[in-house]
Amino acid sequence: MKSLRFHWICLFVLSLCLLIWYWHVIRSGFSVYIRGLPGYVKVLPKPHLKSNLLKVRCSSCAIVSSSGQLLGGGRGQEIDKEECVIRMNVAPTVGFEGDVGNRTSFRVISHTSVPYLVRQQRFFFTTEAETTYVIWGPEKNMRTDGKGKIFNTLVSLARKYPQAELYTVTREKVQECDAVFQNETGKNRMKSGAFLSTGFFTMILALEVCDRILVYGMIDGSYCSNSSHSFVPYHYYEPARLDECRMYRVHEHAKRGGHRFITEKLIYQRWATQGKLHFAFPRWKPPEN
């Protein structure tokens, strides 16, 4: 009788442990771990894999912008401590480690930055060989039927560096991001003449794969309307060139082909009220609802 009771107790404990594990895995994104993340497809699919979707989950992420706001902040070590570090386009780390860190887990790259990726391929695919690259662009450049110029370039890179983790954002995912923008602003992205920024695609990816997000180098949506704001370079690695706020205003009011940087930041402010997204440097909190 005691033996039977012990057996049932052990079975109960085992079942409880399995239930806790299952709950944890589901909460952490089971589908991302097992099947992969829809919308992000490997450039050169490997036939032996059941899924060629991006498979990743990070408990904590640092999104590092390309903004001059990072200069002088000394947040490099803080950034590198996060499980995953996400950078944009080809923003360098060499020479800026103290402010932007050294580690790179992901780079979200615009189709317009792919030529820079090619020119500096030795660095990106040897020095940063552990980095996963996620490339987005319009259908005309990213089509996979042999007529997509940028996609063809990525295929060539993938063949030259077979260990490289190169993924593209699918047409359906780009349309989904357009729908998110319209839902948040009430404006059709294409009809308004706007292009989503690399920052927008980066934020969408981070929200899908990260449990906690710390953002570095991103100002709030009202910063540039403050008359006392100072000159800050648009890119931290081009300190003597474009002023960030001036660039934001030009794009915000462009009739065609502009990124709506200020509008996007106002969207991020609303998303931050949900508790997952935090602005670490410059440190600021979204207004209370």
Side-chain angles (χ1 to χ4, degrees):
M1 187 69 178
K2 289 183 178 180
S3 176
L4 183 62
R5 184 180 301 168
F6 178 77
H7 170 79
W8 281 109
I9 291 174
C10 290
L11 185 62
F12 172 79
V13 171
L14 178 61
S15 299
L16 184 60
C17 290
L18 287 172
L19 183 62
I20 293 172
W21 174 85
Y22 179 77
W23 175 83
H24 174 73
V25 171
I26 290 296
R27 183 173 178 269
S28 302
F30 183 78
S31 62
V32 175
Y33 282 122
I34 304 302
R35 293 188 294 273
L37 189 61
Y40 306 92
V41 180
K42 203 169 185 63
V43 169
L44 270 187
K46 296 182 178 179
H48 66 279
L49 296 178
K50 291 184 178 179
S51 172
N52 282 283
L53 300 177
L54 178 63
K55 296 180 182 179
V56 63
R57 193 74 194 178
C58 305
S59 60
S60 65
C61 293
I63 292 180
V64 187
S65 83
S66 302
S67 169
Q69 299 286 343
L70 289 160
L71 292 173
R75 298 304 177 106
Q77 290 186 354
E78 183 179 315
I79 289 169
D80 284 341
K81 288 179 182 178
E82 298 305 314
E83 181 183 357
C84 296
V85 179
I86 308 174
R87 302 186 190 276
M88 302 178 203
N89 291 317
V90 292
T93 57
V94 178
F96 301 94
E97 295 90 342
D99 289 332
V100 306
N102 185 53
R103 291 180 51 242
T104 306
S105 309
F106 297 90
R107 280 189 184 272
V108 180
I109 295 181
S110 163
H111 60 109
T112 58
S113 290
V114 171
Y116 296 94
L117 195 68
V118 173
R119 286 201 288 270
Q120 302 174 52
Q121 59 186 273
R122 179 174 294 183
F123 171 79
F124 289 114
F125 301 115
T126 56
T127 304
E128 283 198 358
E130 301 301 317
T131 299
T132 296
Y133 297 88
V134 177
I135 301 95
W136 70 272
E139 174 68 11
K140 66 177 182 178
N141 289 337
M142 304 299 287
R143 55 192 300 176
T144 61
D145 60 358
K147 297 180 180 179
K149 183 177 179 181
I150 296 300
F151 183 79
N152 292 344
T153 300
L154 295 174
V155 169
S156 297
L157 286 172
R159 286 173 176 159
K160 186 174 182 179
Y161 302 97
Q163 301 306 313
E165 292 294 320
L166 284 164
Y167 292 82
T168 59
V169 180
T170 65
R171 178 174 178 268
E172 292 74 21
K173 189 67 181 180
V174 171
Q175 291 175 337
E176 181 183 320
C177 291
D178 282 346
V180 171
F181 180 84
Q182 182 165 338
N183 183 60
E184 292 288 343
T185 64
K187 297 179 181 179
N188 180 280
R189 195 271 306 169
M190 294 185 69
K191 290 181 179 179
S192 67
F195 283 106
L196 297 178
S197 72
T198 297
F200 196 86
F201 287 100
T202 301
M203 193 67 74
I204 292 290
L205 175 65
L207 288 168
E208 291 177 315
V209 304
C210 307
D211 294 329
R212 179 172 176 264
I213 304 166
L214 298 176
V215 185
Y216 292 84
M218 190 174 290
I219 56 176
D220 67 80
S222 62
Y223 175 87
C224 291
S225 61
N226 186 340
S227 60
S228 63
H229 75 268
S230 57
F231 171 90
V232 175
Y234 177 56
H235 289 149
Y236 66 77
Y237 49 91
E238 297 175 320
R241 294 193 65 187
L242 301 169
D243 175 63
E244 182 175 61
C245 282
R246 184 178 180 184
M247 175 67 82
Y248 285 2
R249 291 194 193 98
V250 168
H251 273 267
E252 191 71 18
H253 301 294
K255 292 183 178 181
R256 292 193 63 81
H259 295 307
R260 304 302 188 233
F261 292 117
I262 296 173
T263 296
E264 288 181 5
K265 285 170 176 55
L266 292 172
I267 294 172
Y268 306 153
Q269 286 180 209
R270 291 196 293 274
W271 290 349
T273 61
Q274 300 171 13
K276 186 176 183 178
L277 187 61
H278 308 275
F279 298 91
F281 183 81
R283 186 177 297 278
W284 57 274
K285 291 184 178 180
E288 299 290 337
N289 288 334

